[in-house]
């Protein structure tokens, strides 16, 4: 079983609040990813990282930001939450290419009122 | 860019075989993946196939790869209610920076 963790699992918060979604992995993977999954099931890549001090924007424009100060930790921050941010957020990690097998965390379900 | 296509929904009866289909775009993809997502959980790698293979079998799972048509399928034999989940097909994105996922196929298994 993959060792990748996300906290909190569920979060209900009011509009305008700053939130940080935590993601940690103990597999020593260099690459980490954040996906947003809409109710229609589709996954949208919003951020990824090749390693420490590396962050890249994904395919879907997002108002969130990420940081990668330690290999094992890849938090995602929303400075001012809005109802449009309500979604499931999935974190994943992998070794470097070409294998690209991604291991996923259990997800954080965010609801912004 | 890459585009991975899947049918959105499949309904089968318990004990039947399920076949989930996927088409992909990048003929140079080295690995192709099937992921499973159960309700309220993240994605879990189910199986993968290397591009120089036509078929891979793993217990009840059979993956078929048609490179000419860029078609990938996942067959689940003797489908059980516990197989009800969303199944995602994925291929490496250009530059191998990440994976491109299909939109997912929801498999519903009825008793």
């Amino acid at each position: 079983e993959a060792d990748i963790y996300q906290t909190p699992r569920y979060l209900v918060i009011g509009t305008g609040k700053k939130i940080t979604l935590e993601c940690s992995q103990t597999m020593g993977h260099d690459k980490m990813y954040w996906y947003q999954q809409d109710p229609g099931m589709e996954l949208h890549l919003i951020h990824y990282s090749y390693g420490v001090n590396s962050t890249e924007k994904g395919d879907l424009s997002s108002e969130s930001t990420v940081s990668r100060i330690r290999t094992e930790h890849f938090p995602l921050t929303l400075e001012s939450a809005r109802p449009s941010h309500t979604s499931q957020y999935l974190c994943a990690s992998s070794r470097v290419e070409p294998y690209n097998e991604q291991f996923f965390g259990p997800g954080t379900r965010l609801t912004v009122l | 860019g890459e585009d991975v296509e899947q049918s959105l929904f499949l309904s089968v009866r318990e004990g039947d075989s399920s076949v989930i289909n996927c088409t992909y775009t990048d003929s140079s993809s080295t690995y192709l993946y099937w992921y499973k997502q159960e309700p309220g959980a993240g994605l879990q790698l189910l199986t993968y196939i290397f591009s120089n293979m036509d078929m891979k079998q793993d217990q009840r799972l059979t993956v078929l790869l048609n490179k000419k048509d860029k078609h990938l399928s996942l067959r689940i034999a003797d489908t059980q209610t516990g197989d009800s989940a969303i199944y995602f097909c994925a291929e490496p994105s250009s530059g191998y920076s990440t994976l491109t996922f299909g939109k997912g196929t929801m498999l519903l298994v009825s008793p």
Side-chain angles (χ1 to χ4, degrees):
Chain A
E1 191 167 318
D3 297 317
I4 179 163
Y5 309 98
Q6 290 186 244
T7 56
R9 292 292 316 276
Y10 303 92
L11 181 62
V12 180
I13 201 161
T15 297
K17 299 291 186 184
K18 177 180 178 179
I19 57 170
T20 296
L21 308 184
E22 302 288 348
C23 177
S24 295
Q25 51 96 3
T26 59
M27 296 172 282
H29 288 167
D30 286 318
K31 296 182 75 174
M32 296 189 74
Y33 315 80
W34 275 104
Y35 293 88
Q36 186 173 337
Q37 185 174 28
D38 59 26
M41 305 184 301
E42 188 173 0
L43 291 167
H44 301 284
L45 179 67
I46 50 176
H47 298 283
Y48 63 102
S49 166
Y50 288 103
V52 171
N53 294 326
S54 154
T55 60
E56 305 284 343
K57 288 191 182 296
D59 306 321
L60 181 70
S61 175
S62 173
E63 294 160 344
S64 58
T65 59
V66 291
S67 62
R68 190 86 184 277
I69 299 171
R70 302 199 316 265
T71 299
E72 62 271 22
H73 195 216
F74 191 41
L76 180 144
T77 298
L78 278 166
E79 290 293 332
S80 180
R82 294 210 300 268
S84 61
H85 296 137
T86 294
S87 191
Q88 168 92 329
Y89 292 84
L90 294 169
C91 179
S93 71
S94 72
R95 293 173 297 178
V96 297
E97 53 268 21
Y99 300 103
N100 274 314
E101 177 187 338
Q102 294 185 15
F103 295 86
F104 281 79
T108 294
R109 180 158 297 282
L110 172 67
T111 302
V112 183
L113 303 175
Chain B
E2 298 81 17
D3 194 16
V4 179
E5 298 285 344
Q6 299 178 239
S7 52
L8 293 183
F9 186 75
L10 177 64
S11 179
V12 301
R13 300 189 77 88
E14 192 173 24
D16 289 348
S17 292
S18 307
V19 179
I20 301 171
N21 294 299
C22 168
T23 58
Y24 61 96
T25 55
D26 188 354
S27 58
S28 66
S29 291
T30 51
Y31 287 89
L32 293 153
Y33 302 87
W34 283 104
Y35 280 82
K36 177 183 181 182
Q37 184 180 30
E38 295 182 353
L43 278 69
Q44 177 184 11
L45 181 68
L46 199 58
T47 187
Y48 64 91
I49 188 167
F50 191 52
S51 59
N52 68 352
M53 299 169 67
D54 297 323
M55 185 181 85
K56 180 180 179 181
Q57 188 149 3
D58 183 2
Q59 299 183 329
R60 291 191 297 120
L61 304 177
T62 303
V63 179
L64 295 178
L65 176 60
N66 181 330
K67 290 184 287 292
K68 175 176 171 290
D69 296 335
K70 296 179 189 172
H71 183 263
L72 184 72
S73 68
L74 173 70
R75 178 177 181 270
I76 306 173
D78 187 25
T79 313
Q80 303 297 307
T81 54
D83 294 323
S84 292
I86 303 169
Y87 292 81
F88 292 90
C89 169
E91 67 169 342
S93 60
S94 62
Y96 296 95
S97 59
T98 184
L99 293 176
T100 298
F101 288 88
K103 290 182 171 65
T105 299
M106 181 177 287
L107 174 63
L108 180 64
V109 183
S110 54

